[in-house]
mmCIF file of all heavy atoms in Angstrom:
data_model
loop_
_atom_site.group_PDB
_atom_site.id
_atom_site.type_symbol
_atom_site.label_atom_id
_atom_site.label_comp_id
_atom_site.label_asym_id
_atom_site.label_seq_id
_atom_site.Cartn_x
_atom_site.Cartn_y
_atom_site.Cartn_z
ATOM 1 N N GLU B 49 104.593 56.973 88.593
ATOM 2 C CA GLU B 49 105.362 55.806 89.054
ATOM 3 C C GLU B 49 106.877 56.018 88.901
ATOM 4 O O GLU B 49 107.639 55.750 89.830
ATOM 5 C CB GLU B 49 104.936 54.554 88.289
ATOM 6 C CG GLU B 49 105.628 53.314 88.836
ATOM 7 C CD GLU B 49 105.046 52.015 88.325
ATOM 8 O OE1 GLU B 49 103.970 52.062 87.680
ATOM 9 O OE2 GLU B 49 105.652 50.967 88.553
ATOM 10 N N GLN B 50 107.281 56.518 87.726
ATOM 11 C CA GLN B 50 108.710 56.712 87.494
ATOM 12 C C GLN B 50 109.287 57.690 88.518
ATOM 13 O O GLN B 50 110.369 57.486 89.068
ATOM 14 C CB GLN B 50 108.932 57.266 86.078
ATOM 15 C CG GLN B 50 110.398 57.363 85.685
ATOM 16 C CD GLN B 50 111.113 55.998 85.791
ATOM 17 O OE1 GLN B 50 110.610 55.001 85.318
ATOM 18 N NE2 GLN B 50 112.258 55.986 86.463
ATOM 19 N N ASN B 51 108.511 58.731 88.764
ATOM 20 C CA ASN B 51 108.949 59.750 89.703
ATOM 21 C C ASN B 51 109.136 59.179 91.104
ATOM 22 O O ASN B 51 110.115 59.475 91.787
ATOM 23 C CB ASN B 51 107.910 60.870 89.713
ATOM 24 C CG ASN B 51 108.472 62.131 90.291
ATOM 25 O OD1 ASN B 51 108.252 62.414 91.454
ATOM 26 N ND2 ASN B 51 109.233 62.883 89.486
ATOM 27 N N ILE B 52 108.218 58.311 91.514
ATOM 28 C CA ILE B 52 108.299 57.705 92.849
ATOM 29 C C ILE B 52 109.478 56.742 92.926
ATOM 30 O O ILE B 52 110.239 56.720 93.896
ATOM 31 C CB ILE B 52 106.955 57.045 93.201
ATOM 32 C CG1 ILE B 52 105.949 58.170 93.563
ATOM 33 C CG2 ILE B 52 107.118 56.057 94.362
ATOM 34 C CD1 ILE B 52 104.553 57.712 93.844
ATOM 35 N N THR B 53 109.678 55.951 91.862
ATOM 36 C CA THR B 53 110.836 55.028 91.827
ATOM 37 C C THR B 53 112.137 55.823 91.974
ATOM 38 O O THR B 53 113.001 55.483 92.783
ATOM 39 C CB THR B 53 110.850 54.253 90.486
ATOM 40 O OG1 THR B 53 109.574 53.640 90.334
ATOM 41 C CG2 THR B 53 111.938 53.203 90.486
ATOM 42 N N ASP B 54 112.250 56.902 91.173
ATOM 43 C CA ASP B 54 113.467 57.715 91.217
ATOM 44 C C ASP B 54 113.692 58.308 92.618
ATOM 45 O O ASP B 54 114.823 58.355 93.107
ATOM 46 C CB ASP B 54 113.379 58.871 90.211
ATOM 47 C CG ASP B 54 113.389 58.377 88.767
ATOM 48 O OD1 ASP B 54 113.691 57.176 88.577
ATOM 49 O OD2 ASP B 54 113.081 59.176 87.868
ATOM 50 N N ARG B 55 112.582 58.732 93.193
ATOM 51 C CA ARG B 55 112.681 59.358 94.505
ATOM 52 C C ARG B 55 113.222 58.348 95.527
ATOM 53 O O ARG B 55 114.138 58.664 96.293
ATOM 54 C CB ARG B 55 111.297 59.862 94.922
ATOM 55 C CG ARG B 55 111.209 60.490 96.294
ATOM 56 C CD ARG B 55 111.738 61.912 96.286
ATOM 57 N NE ARG B 55 111.733 62.509 97.614
ATOM 58 C CZ ARG B 55 110.692 63.173 98.143
ATOM 59 N NH1 ARG B 55 109.598 63.355 97.407
ATOM 60 N NH2 ARG B 55 110.768 63.689 99.338
ATOM 61 N N ILE B 56 112.666 57.133 95.495
ATOM 62 C CA ILE B 56 113.108 56.110 96.464
ATOM 63 C C ILE B 56 114.599 55.791 96.254
ATOM 64 O O ILE B 56 115.384 55.732 97.221
ATOM 65 C CB ILE B 56 112.258 54.824 96.335
ATOM 66 C CG1 ILE B 56 110.816 55.123 96.757
ATOM 67 C CG2 ILE B 56 112.854 53.690 97.188
ATOM 68 C CD1 ILE B 56 109.841 53.962 96.530
ATOM 69 N N GLU B 57 115.012 55.668 94.995
ATOM 70 C CA GLU B 57 116.413 55.345 94.712
ATOM 71 C C GLU B 57 117.351 56.447 95.191
ATOM 72 O O GLU B 57 118.440 56.181 95.700
ATOM 73 C CB GLU B 57 116.627 55.110 93.201
ATOM 74 C CG GLU B 57 116.005 53.820 92.695
ATOM 75 C CD GLU B 57 116.476 52.581 93.445
ATOM 76 O OE1 GLU B 57 117.674 52.490 93.790
ATOM 77 O OE2 GLU B 57 115.630 51.693 93.712
ATOM 78 N N ARG B 58 116.884 57.706 94.997
ATOM 79 C CA ARG B 58 117.704 58.846 95.421
ATOM 80 C C ARG B 58 117.881 58.840 96.948
ATOM 81 O O ARG B 58 118.964 59.120 97.479
ATOM 82 C CB ARG B 58 117.014 60.137 94.947
ATOM 83 C CG ARG B 58 117.795 61.404 95.172
ATOM 84 C CD ARG B 58 117.255 62.547 94.315
ATOM 85 N NE ARG B 58 115.923 62.984 94.695
ATOM 86 C CZ ARG B 58 115.661 63.819 95.707
ATOM 87 N NH1 ARG B 58 116.667 64.276 96.450
ATOM 88 N NH2 ARG B 58 114.425 64.171 95.974
ATOM 89 N N MET B 59 116.820 58.463 97.662
ATOM 90 C CA MET B 59 116.884 58.419 99.124
ATOM 91 C C MET B 59 117.829 57.315 99.581
ATOM 92 O O MET B 59 118.652 57.507 100.486
ATOM 93 C CB MET B 59 115.480 58.156 99.705
ATOM 94 C CG MET B 59 114.404 59.149 99.295
ATOM 95 S SD MET B 59 114.658 60.854 99.869
ATOM 96 C CE MET B 59 114.928 61.698 98.325
ATOM 97 N N ILE B 60 117.712 56.159 98.906
ATOM 98 C CA ILE B 60 118.566 55.038 99.292
ATOM 99 C C ILE B 60 120.035 55.380 99.035
ATOM 100 O O ILE B 60 120.922 55.099 99.860
ATOM 101 C CB ILE B 60 118.112 53.749 98.559
ATOM 102 C CG1 ILE B 60 116.761 53.302 99.146
ATOM 103 C CG2 ILE B 60 119.161 52.645 98.674
ATOM 104 C CD1 ILE B 60 116.070 52.198 98.392
#
Side-chain angles (χ1 to χ4, degrees):
Chain B
E49 185 168 350
Q50 186 57 48
N51 198 262
I52 285 175
T53 306
D54 293 348
R55 177 79 183 271
I56 294 174
E57 289 304 321
R58 186 163 67 81
M59 304 296 114
I60 289 171

